[in-house]
């Protein structure tokens, strides 16, 4: 599996706050989003078991 591109629509205020947090953490907004998604997946899988990849 390679790296895929995903486009999202986001409220301007939320985007500003995302950039603020990413800068604080020393990350790009893209890296910050990847971490948020990873954490969400880990939490789900901890509660419900591993998500199968088709």
């Amino acid at each position: 599996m390679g790296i895929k591109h995903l486009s999202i629509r986001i409220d301007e205020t939320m985007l500003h706050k995302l950039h603020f947090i990413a800068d604080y953490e020393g990350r790009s907004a893209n890296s910050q989003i990847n971490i948020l998604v990873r954490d969400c997946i880990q939490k789900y899988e901890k509660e419900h078991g591993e998500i199968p990849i088709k």
Side-chain angles (χ1 to χ4, degrees):
M1 285 189 262
I3 301 295
K4 301 291 184 177
H5 176 84
L6 173 66
S7 178
I8 65 168
R9 292 180 188 94
I10 186 169
D11 175 78
E12 187 176 351
T13 301
M14 285 179 53
L15 181 60
H16 173 77
K17 291 180 179 188
L18 172 65
H19 278 281
F20 183 91
I21 293 167
D23 288 343
Y24 177 81
E25 297 289 334
R27 300 184 182 105
S28 67
N30 186 75
S31 293
Q32 188 69 32
I33 291 169
N34 277 314
I35 288 169
L36 293 168
V37 171
R38 181 199 65 199
D39 291 351
C40 178
I41 291 168
Q42 286 176 345
K43 180 181 176 189
Y44 179 92
E45 288 185 330
K46 184 177 180 180
E47 294 177 21
H48 303 283
E50 188 171 346
I51 299 169
I53 305 299
K54 297 179 183 182

